[in-house]
Amino acid sequence: MPVDVRWATAADASALAVMLCAMAAHYRQPPLDHERALSAARKWLGEESPAYPHFALAFVEDEVSGLASVAIAHPGVDLERLLFLKDLFVRDQVRGAGVGRALIDFLADHCLSHGIGRIDLTTEDWNEGALRFYARLGAERHGQKIFLRFSGDALTVLKPGA
């Protein structure tokens, strides 16, 4: 089954909204209102810098089937940019059909053609399917870092003047 992967543009807002809603349902989050997701997708795809695309979408037979949400970070100690893969999600009905692999291949090709030295990502320690998938592709577990987060009250406390 051929998979078409491309960077999302403003014209793909509806497809991105479909994926955001499917992702929320898959991860057992409260249902995401499609109109709210569409509004967010339009904003993100319309306002973000075209130099740093943030969403790759995969289509199977013209139906949106997968999503990769990424950010490109600039130099660290090795002076190479990196692509951080925030989310990789494939709809249930096409899991195991090569959509995830097509998204990773697309990102790898982007990295190689744009001088980006690596792809970094995280996944939940309980997500055995994702861990097996990434291991099959050659990803290495990199135990040197601990994932931390500022959100909610902790983020508010950091606000100047708080």
Tab-separated table of all heavy atoms in Angstrom, residues 21-77:
chain	number	residue	atom	x	y	z
A	21	CYS	N	-7.787	14.728	16.657
A	21	CYS	CA	-8.937	14.102	17.315
A	21	CYS	C	-8.724	12.601	17.476
A	21	CYS	O	-9.031	12.031	18.539
A	21	CYS	CB	-10.212	14.400	16.531
A	21	CYS	SG	-10.730	16.134	16.605
A	22	ALA	N	-8.199	11.953	16.453
A	22	ALA	CA	-7.943	10.512	16.521
A	22	ALA	C	-6.890	10.201	17.581
A	22	ALA	O	-7.002	9.207	18.312
A	22	ALA	CB	-7.501	9.994	15.153
A	23	MET	N	-5.884	11.046	17.665
A	23	MET	CA	-4.819	10.841	18.641
A	23	MET	C	-5.375	10.973	20.065
A	23	MET	O	-5.051	10.155	20.939
A	23	MET	CB	-3.696	11.853	18.390
A	23	MET	CG	-2.370	11.451	18.966
A	23	MET	SD	-0.997	12.378	18.248
A	23	MET	CE	-1.149	13.927	19.072
A	24	ALA	N	-6.214	11.972	20.307
A	24	ALA	CA	-6.808	12.152	21.637
A	24	ALA	C	-7.634	10.919	22.017
A	24	ALA	O	-7.540	10.426	23.151
A	24	ALA	CB	-7.667	13.411	21.665
A	25	ALA	N	-8.424	10.407	21.081
A	25	ALA	CA	-9.239	9.223	21.363
A	25	ALA	C	-8.358	8.007	21.632
A	25	ALA	O	-8.611	7.240	22.572
A	25	ALA	CB	-10.180	8.948	20.186
A	26	HIS	N	-7.316	7.825	20.831
A	26	HIS	CA	-6.424	6.676	20.995
A	26	HIS	C	-5.766	6.667	22.372
A	26	HIS	O	-5.629	5.619	23.002
A	26	HIS	CB	-5.352	6.668	19.908
A	26	HIS	CG	-4.380	5.557	20.053
A	26	HIS	ND1	-4.659	4.262	19.648
A	26	HIS	CD2	-3.135	5.527	20.588
A	26	HIS	CE1	-3.618	3.491	19.930
A	26	HIS	NE2	-2.686	4.235	20.493
A	27	TYR	N	-5.358	7.835	22.827
A	27	TYR	CA	-4.666	7.926	24.118
A	27	TYR	C	-5.633	8.133	25.279
A	27	TYR	O	-5.219	8.533	26.362
A	27	TYR	CB	-3.590	9.014	24.067
A	27	TYR	CG	-2.406	8.569	23.237
A	27	TYR	CD1	-2.130	9.167	22.015
A	27	TYR	CD2	-1.591	7.531	23.657
A	27	TYR	CE1	-1.060	8.756	21.236
A	27	TYR	CE2	-0.512	7.106	22.887
A	27	TYR	CZ	-0.261	7.724	21.686
A	27	TYR	OH	0.800	7.308	20.914
A	28	ARG	N	-6.917	7.877	25.012
A	28	ARG	CA	-7.958	7.903	26.051
A	28	ARG	C	-8.044	9.260	26.753
A	28	ARG	O	-8.271	9.331	27.962
A	28	ARG	CB	-7.757	6.770	27.049
A	28	ARG	CG	-7.875	5.407	26.405
A	28	ARG	CD	-7.724	4.289	27.433
A	28	ARG	NE	-7.846	2.995	26.788
A	28	ARG	CZ	-6.825	2.238	26.468
A	28	ARG	NH1	-5.601	2.619	26.737
A	28	ARG	NH2	-7.008	1.064	25.891
A	29	GLN	N	-7.873	10.299	25.981
A	29	GLN	CA	-8.057	11.661	26.477
A	29	GLN	C	-9.534	12.018	26.327
A	29	GLN	O	-10.255	11.366	25.580
A	29	GLN	CB	-7.191	12.635	25.676
A	29	GLN	CG	-5.707	12.344	25.733
A	29	GLN	CD	-5.156	12.462	27.131
A	29	GLN	OE1	-5.401	13.431	27.835
A	29	GLN	NE2	-4.423	11.448	27.562
A	30	PRO	N	-9.972	13.082	26.989
A	30	PRO	CA	-11.347	13.518	26.749
A	30	PRO	C	-11.526	13.810	25.256
A	30	PRO	O	-10.583	14.271	24.596
A	30	PRO	CB	-11.463	14.809	27.575
A	30	PRO	CG	-10.402	14.686	28.617
A	30	PRO	CD	-9.279	13.901	27.986
A	31	PRO	N	-12.708	13.531	24.712
A	31	PRO	CA	-12.920	13.781	23.286
A	31	PRO	C	-12.554	15.214	22.917
A	31	PRO	O	-12.884	16.154	23.627
A	31	PRO	CB	-14.416	13.531	23.099
A	31	PRO	CG	-14.798	12.642	24.229
A	31	PRO	CD	-13.902	13.016	25.376
A	32	LEU	N	-11.844	15.338	21.824
A	32	LEU	CA	-11.411	16.649	21.348
A	32	LEU	C	-12.427	17.130	20.317
A	32	LEU	O	-12.686	16.436	19.329
A	32	LEU	CB	-10.016	16.533	20.726
A	32	LEU	CG	-9.331	17.799	20.253
A	32	LEU	CD1	-9.198	18.809	21.382
A	32	LEU	CD2	-7.946	17.457	19.710
A	33	ASP	N	-13.009	18.288	20.555
A	33	ASP	CA	-13.980	18.860	19.635
A	33	ASP	C	-13.299	19.170	18.302
A	33	ASP	O	-12.262	19.836	18.266
A	33	ASP	CB	-14.559	20.141	20.250
A	33	ASP	CG	-15.509	20.834	19.306
A	33	ASP	OD1	-16.603	20.313	19.081
A	33	ASP	OD2	-15.112	21.904	18.779
A	34	HIS	N	-13.890	18.665	17.208
A	34	HIS	CA	-13.279	18.829	15.885
A	34	HIS	C	-13.103	20.301	15.527
A	34	HIS	O	-12.060	20.679	14.979
A	34	HIS	CB	-14.093	18.115	14.810
A	34	HIS	CG	-13.480	18.251	13.452
A	34	HIS	ND1	-12.394	17.500	13.053
A	34	HIS	CD2	-13.761	19.085	12.419
A	34	HIS	CE1	-12.037	17.860	11.823
A	34	HIS	NE2	-12.858	18.810	11.419
A	35	GLU	N	-14.071	21.137	15.831
A	35	GLU	CA	-13.956	22.566	15.488
A	35	GLU	C	-12.815	23.223	16.263
A	35	GLU	O	-12.097	24.069	15.722
A	35	GLU	CB	-15.280	23.299	15.731
A	35	GLU	CG	-16.351	22.932	14.732
A	35	GLU	CD	-15.915	23.160	13.272
A	35	GLU	OE1	-15.350	24.228	12.968
A	35	GLU	OE2	-16.133	22.245	12.450
A	36	ARG	N	-12.636	22.833	17.506
A	36	ARG	CA	-11.514	23.358	18.302
A	36	ARG	C	-10.179	22.891	17.717
A	36	ARG	O	-9.233	23.666	17.594
A	36	ARG	CB	-11.648	22.902	19.746
A	36	ARG	CG	-10.562	23.426	20.643
A	36	ARG	CD	-10.830	23.095	22.106
A	36	ARG	NE	-9.663	23.426	22.875
A	36	ARG	CZ	-9.042	22.582	23.691
A	36	ARG	NH1	-9.520	21.374	23.882
A	36	ARG	NH2	-7.964	22.951	24.336
A	37	ALA	N	-10.121	21.615	17.336
A	37	ALA	CA	-8.902	21.074	16.723
A	37	ALA	C	-8.630	21.766	15.391
A	37	ALA	O	-7.480	22.090	15.076
A	37	ALA	CB	-9.030	19.570	16.536
A	38	LEU	N	-9.667	22.005	14.610
A	38	LEU	CA	-9.506	22.676	13.319
A	38	LEU	C	-9.015	24.103	13.505
A	38	LEU	O	-8.127	24.566	12.775
A	38	LEU	CB	-10.829	22.657	12.544
A	38	LEU	CG	-10.821	23.291	11.161
A	38	LEU	CD1	-9.784	22.628	10.254
A	38	LEU	CD2	-12.216	23.204	10.546
A	39	SER	N	-9.540	24.799	14.480
A	39	SER	CA	-9.090	26.167	14.766
A	39	SER	C	-7.603	26.184	15.139
A	39	SER	O	-6.839	27.021	14.661
A	39	SER	CB	-9.936	26.757	15.893
A	39	SER	OG	-9.472	28.037	16.250
A	40	ALA	N	-7.211	25.243	15.993
A	40	ALA	CA	-5.801	25.157	16.392
A	40	ALA	C	-4.927	24.815	15.185
A	40	ALA	O	-3.862	25.416	14.988
A	40	ALA	CB	-5.625	24.111	17.493
A	41	ALA	N	-5.372	23.859	14.374
A	41	ALA	CA	-4.588	23.458	13.197
A	41	ALA	C	-4.416	24.633	12.239
A	41	ALA	O	-3.318	24.853	11.713
A	41	ALA	CB	-5.260	22.276	12.496
A	42	ARG	N	-5.482	25.382	12.007
A	42	ARG	CA	-5.381	26.556	11.127
A	42	ARG	C	-4.384	27.569	11.668
A	42	ARG	O	-3.589	28.137	10.916
A	42	ARG	CB	-6.750	27.203	10.957
A	42	ARG	CG	-7.662	26.436	10.036
A	42	ARG	CD	-9.004	27.120	9.900
A	42	ARG	NE	-9.840	26.408	8.945
A	42	ARG	CZ	-11.144	26.272	9.070
A	42	ARG	NH1	-11.789	26.818	10.095
A	42	ARG	NH2	-11.813	25.605	8.148
A	43	LYS	N	-4.434	27.796	12.968
A	43	LYS	CA	-3.503	28.745	13.585
A	43	LYS	C	-2.065	28.256	13.442
A	43	LYS	O	-1.190	28.989	13.012
A	43	LYS	CB	-3.858	28.931	15.060
A	43	LYS	CG	-2.921	29.869	15.779
A	43	LYS	CD	-3.293	30.026	17.227
A	43	LYS	CE	-2.270	30.930	17.905
A	43	LYS	NZ	-2.447	31.019	19.332
A	44	TRP	N	-1.830	27.007	13.820
A	44	TRP	CA	-0.466	26.475	13.784
A	44	TRP	C	0.093	26.440	12.370
A	44	TRP	O	1.256	26.774	12.150
A	44	TRP	CB	-0.418	25.083	14.377
A	44	TRP	CG	-0.780	25.008	15.823
A	44	TRP	CD1	-0.709	26.014	16.757
A	44	TRP	CD2	-1.282	23.874	16.518
A	44	TRP	NE1	-1.136	25.567	17.971
A	44	TRP	CE2	-1.494	24.259	17.862
A	44	TRP	CE3	-1.578	22.580	16.129
A	44	TRP	CZ2	-1.975	23.383	18.823
A	44	TRP	CZ3	-2.058	21.699	17.088
A	44	TRP	CH2	-2.253	22.098	18.417
A	45	LEU	N	-0.714	26.032	11.423
A	45	LEU	CA	-0.219	25.919	10.051
A	45	LEU	C	-0.138	27.263	9.351
A	45	LEU	O	0.599	27.409	8.384
A	45	LEU	CB	-1.092	24.944	9.250
A	45	LEU	CG	-1.041	23.496	9.730
A	45	LEU	CD1	-2.055	22.653	8.974
A	45	LEU	CD2	0.355	22.913	9.596
A	46	GLY	N	-0.863	28.252	9.834
A	46	GLY	CA	-0.837	29.567	9.215
A	46	GLY	C	0.189	30.512	9.785
A	46	GLY	O	0.663	31.407	9.103
A	47	GLU	N	0.557	30.310	11.054
A	47	GLU	CA	1.436	31.265	11.726
A	47	GLU	C	2.864	30.791	11.899
A	47	GLU	O	3.743	31.583	12.178
A	47	GLU	CB	0.870	31.609	13.111
A	47	GLU	CG	-0.432	32.356	13.051
A	47	GLU	CD	-0.977	32.677	14.442
A	47	GLU	OE1	-0.328	32.308	15.440
A	47	GLU	OE2	-2.044	33.293	14.505
A	48	GLU	N	3.104	29.507	11.785
A	48	GLU	CA	4.444	28.993	12.019
A	48	GLU	C	5.373	29.352	10.863
A	48	GLU	O	4.956	29.488	9.731
A	48	GLU	CB	4.410	27.475	12.213
A	48	GLU	CG	3.571	27.038	13.388
A	48	GLU	CD	4.107	27.478	14.736
A	48	GLU	OE1	5.303	27.776	14.856
A	48	GLU	OE2	3.316	27.523	15.680
A	49	SER	N	6.635	29.467	11.169
A	49	SER	CA	7.625	29.799	10.157
A	49	SER	C	7.742	28.672	9.137
A	49	SER	O	7.916	27.517	9.506
A	49	SER	CB	8.988	30.012	10.832
A	49	SER	OG	10.011	30.007	9.867
A	50	PRO	N	7.659	28.978	7.852
A	50	PRO	CA	7.802	27.921	6.848
A	50	PRO	C	9.193	27.292	6.829
A	50	PRO	O	9.380	26.221	6.283
A	50	PRO	CB	7.498	28.635	5.526
A	50	PRO	CG	7.716	30.078	5.805
A	50	PRO	CD	7.437	30.285	7.263
A	51	ALA	N	10.164	27.949	7.452
A	51	ALA	CA	11.515	27.376	7.500
A	51	ALA	C	11.568	26.161	8.430
A	51	ALA	O	12.459	25.339	8.319
A	51	ALA	CB	12.509	28.431	7.973
A	52	TYR	N	10.623	26.049	9.343
A	52	TYR	CA	10.627	24.961	10.312
A	52	TYR	C	9.261	24.303	10.362
A	52	TYR	O	8.467	24.562	11.251
A	52	TYR	CB	11.034	25.476	11.700
A	52	TYR	CG	12.423	26.023	11.686
A	52	TYR	CD1	12.654	27.381	11.691
A	52	TYR	CD2	13.507	25.169	11.594
A	52	TYR	CE1	13.941	27.884	11.636
A	52	TYR	CE2	14.791	25.657	11.525
A	52	TYR	CZ	15.011	27.015	11.550
A	52	TYR	OH	16.268	27.507	11.489
A	53	PRO	N	8.965	23.462	9.392
A	53	PRO	CA	7.663	22.793	9.413
A	53	PRO	C	7.529	21.941	10.679
A	53	PRO	O	8.507	21.389	11.161
A	53	PRO	CB	7.697	21.918	8.163
A	53	PRO	CG	9.119	21.840	7.765
A	53	PRO	CD	9.817	23.035	8.313
A	54	HIS	N	6.345	21.861	11.207
A	54	HIS	CA	6.137	21.160	12.465
A	54	HIS	C	5.332	19.876	12.349
A	54	HIS	O	5.316	19.080	13.268
A	54	HIS	CB	5.458	22.084	13.474
A	54	HIS	CG	6.294	23.247	13.853
A	54	HIS	ND1	7.451	23.128	14.566
A	54	HIS	CD2	6.155	24.559	13.589
A	54	HIS	CE1	7.995	24.323	14.744
A	54	HIS	NE2	7.226	25.198	14.158
A	55	PHE	N	4.639	19.688	11.241
A	55	PHE	CA	3.812	18.494	11.095
A	55	PHE	C	4.059	17.847	9.748
A	55	PHE	O	3.967	18.499	8.714
A	55	PHE	CB	2.319	18.844	11.191
A	55	PHE	CG	1.936	19.464	12.495
A	55	PHE	CD1	1.795	20.838	12.604
A	55	PHE	CD2	1.722	18.680	13.620
A	55	PHE	CE1	1.449	21.427	13.811
A	55	PHE	CE2	1.382	19.257	14.828
A	55	PHE	CZ	1.247	20.636	14.923
A	56	ALA	N	4.356	16.547	9.781
A	56	ALA	CA	4.376	15.748	8.561
A	56	ALA	C	3.119	14.888	8.613
A	56	ALA	O	2.790	14.328	9.659
A	56	ALA	CB	5.622	14.876	8.499
A	57	LEU	N	2.426	14.813	7.494
A	57	LEU	CA	1.212	14.009	7.419
A	57	LEU	C	1.409	12.884	6.415
A	57	LEU	O	2.028	13.092	5.367
A	57	LEU	CB	0.014	14.864	6.988
A	57	LEU	CG	-0.420	15.955	7.964
A	57	LEU	CD1	-1.540	16.792	7.350
A	57	LEU	CD2	-0.868	15.355	9.291
A	58	ALA	N	0.893	11.719	6.748
A	58	ALA	CA	0.944	10.558	5.856
A	58	ALA	C	-0.462	10.279	5.350
A	58	ALA	O	-1.429	10.301	6.125
A	58	ALA	CB	1.486	9.340	6.598
A	59	PHE	N	-0.563	10.011	4.067
A	59	PHE	CA	-1.844	9.723	3.432
A	59	PHE	C	-1.774	8.358	2.752
A	59	PHE	O	-0.785	8.038	2.095
A	59	PHE	CB	-2.173	10.787	2.378
A	59	PHE	CG	-2.391	12.157	2.968
A	59	PHE	CD1	-1.318	12.991	3.249
A	59	PHE	CD2	-3.677	12.600	3.245
A	59	PHE	CE1	-1.513	14.246	3.794
A	59	PHE	CE2	-3.887	13.865	3.792
A	59	PHE	CZ	-2.802	14.695	4.071
A	60	VAL	N	-2.831	7.582	2.942
A	60	VAL	CA	-2.991	6.302	2.254
A	60	VAL	C	-4.284	6.421	1.454
A	60	VAL	O	-5.351	6.679	2.029
A	60	VAL	CB	-3.074	5.128	3.251
A	60	VAL	CG1	-3.382	3.832	2.526
A	60	VAL	CG2	-1.777	5.013	4.046
A	61	GLU	N	-4.167	6.261	0.140
A	61	GLU	CA	-5.320	6.416	-0.750
A	61	GLU	C	-6.064	7.719	-0.462
A	61	GLU	O	-7.287	7.752	-0.317
A	61	GLU	CB	-6.253	5.198	-0.642
A	61	GLU	CG	-5.571	3.920	-1.074
A	61	GLU	CD	-6.432	2.684	-0.901
A	61	GLU	OE1	-7.575	2.780	-0.416
A	61	GLU	OE2	-5.943	1.600	-1.269
A	62	ASP	N	-5.308	8.807	-0.350
A	62	ASP	CA	-5.819	10.161	-0.120
A	62	ASP	C	-6.508	10.364	1.227
A	62	ASP	O	-7.137	11.394	1.452
A	62	ASP	CB	-6.758	10.596	-1.256
A	62	ASP	CG	-6.031	10.716	-2.581
A	62	ASP	OD1	-4.854	11.132	-2.577
A	62	ASP	OD2	-6.634	10.387	-3.615
A	63	GLU	N	-6.418	9.387	2.131
A	63	GLU	CA	-6.984	9.555	3.465
A	63	GLU	C	-5.856	9.756	4.464
A	63	GLU	O	-4.890	8.977	4.494
A	63	GLU	CB	-7.815	8.335	3.862
A	63	GLU	CG	-8.493	8.520	5.196
A	63	GLU	CD	-9.425	7.369	5.560
A	63	GLU	OE1	-9.807	6.604	4.659
A	63	GLU	OE2	-9.754	7.255	6.746
A	64	VAL	N	-5.969	10.800	5.300
A	64	VAL	CA	-4.922	11.060	6.277
A	64	VAL	C	-4.844	9.879	7.235
A	64	VAL	O	-5.845	9.409	7.761
A	64	VAL	CB	-5.126	12.415	7.003
A	64	VAL	CG1	-6.381	12.429	7.864
A	64	VAL	CG2	-3.888	12.788	7.795
A	65	SER	N	-3.632	9.361	7.422
A	65	SER	CA	-3.450	8.126	8.178
A	65	SER	C	-2.384	8.200	9.251
A	65	SER	O	-2.326	7.340	10.127
A	65	SER	CB	-3.092	6.989	7.206
A	65	SER	OG	-4.120	6.831	6.257
A	66	GLY	N	-1.505	9.201	9.187
A	66	GLY	CA	-0.437	9.300	10.167
A	66	GLY	C	0.028	10.728	10.325
A	66	GLY	O	-0.190	11.576	9.450
A	67	LEU	N	0.680	10.969	11.443
A	67	LEU	CA	1.144	12.303	11.814
A	67	LEU	C	2.477	12.203	12.524
A	67	LEU	O	2.673	11.315	13.369
A	67	LEU	CB	0.108	12.935	12.747
A	67	LEU	CG	0.543	13.997	13.752
A	67	LEU	CD1	0.755	15.322	13.044
A	67	LEU	CD2	-0.497	14.156	14.839
A	68	ALA	N	3.377	13.097	12.192
A	68	ALA	CA	4.606	13.286	12.973
A	68	ALA	C	4.661	14.759	13.330
A	68	ALA	O	4.564	15.623	12.463
A	68	ALA	CB	5.839	12.883	12.175
A	69	SER	N	4.771	15.043	14.607
A	69	SER	CA	4.896	16.412	15.098
A	69	SER	C	6.349	16.595	15.513
A	69	SER	O	6.864	15.835	16.339
A	69	SER	CB	3.961	16.609	16.292
A	69	SER	OG	4.181	17.864	16.894
A	70	VAL	N	7.019	17.591	14.926
A	70	VAL	CA	8.455	17.744	15.146
A	70	VAL	C	8.828	19.194	15.439
A	70	VAL	O	8.066	20.120	15.147
A	70	VAL	CB	9.270	17.260	13.925
A	70	VAL	CG1	8.923	15.821	13.572
A	70	VAL	CG2	9.078	18.161	12.723
A	71	ALA	N	10.009	19.354	15.981
A	71	ALA	CA	10.622	20.667	16.148
A	71	ALA	C	12.092	20.522	15.774
A	71	ALA	O	12.702	19.471	16.010
A	71	ALA	CB	10.499	21.152	17.590
A	72	ILE	N	12.643	21.544	15.195
A	72	ILE	CA	14.064	21.534	14.857
A	72	ILE	C	14.778	22.460	15.823
A	72	ILE	O	14.413	23.628	15.963
A	72	ILE	CB	14.285	21.940	13.395
A	72	ILE	CG1	13.595	20.921	12.486
A	72	ILE	CG2	15.787	22.043	13.086
A	72	ILE	CD1	13.555	21.280	11.032
A	73	ALA	N	15.738	21.895	16.521
A	73	ALA	CA	16.494	22.650	17.516
A	73	ALA	C	17.873	22.961	16.957
A	73	ALA	O	18.462	22.163	16.226
A	73	ALA	CB	16.603	21.851	18.809
A	74	HIS	N	18.377	24.103	17.348
A	74	HIS	CA	19.681	24.534	16.863
A	74	HIS	C	20.800	24.030	17.761
A	74	HIS	O	20.546	23.393	18.777
A	74	HIS	CB	19.683	26.053	16.694
A	74	HIS	CG	18.889	26.472	15.497
A	74	HIS	ND1	19.403	26.459	14.234
A	74	HIS	CD2	17.601	26.841	15.373
A	74	HIS	CE1	18.469	26.837	13.372
A	74	HIS	NE2	17.364	27.072	14.054
A	75	PRO	N	22.023	24.325	17.391
A	75	PRO	CA	23.200	23.645	17.941
A	75	PRO	C	23.254	23.455	19.447
A	75	PRO	O	22.882	24.318	20.218
A	75	PRO	CB	24.360	24.523	17.488
A	75	PRO	CG	23.868	25.167	16.241
A	75	PRO	CD	22.401	25.389	16.490
A	76	GLY	N	23.735	22.285	19.774
A	76	GLY	CA	24.122	21.948	21.133
A	76	GLY	C	25.633	21.819	21.133
A	76	GLY	O	26.324	22.462	20.335
A	77	VAL	N	26.146	20.959	21.994
A	77	VAL	CA	27.595	20.823	22.115
A	77	VAL	C	28.251	20.312	20.842
A	77	VAL	O	29.416	20.581	20.585
A	77	VAL	CB	27.985	19.922	23.304
A	77	VAL	CG1	27.588	20.567	24.607
A	77	VAL	CG2	27.376	18.544	23.175
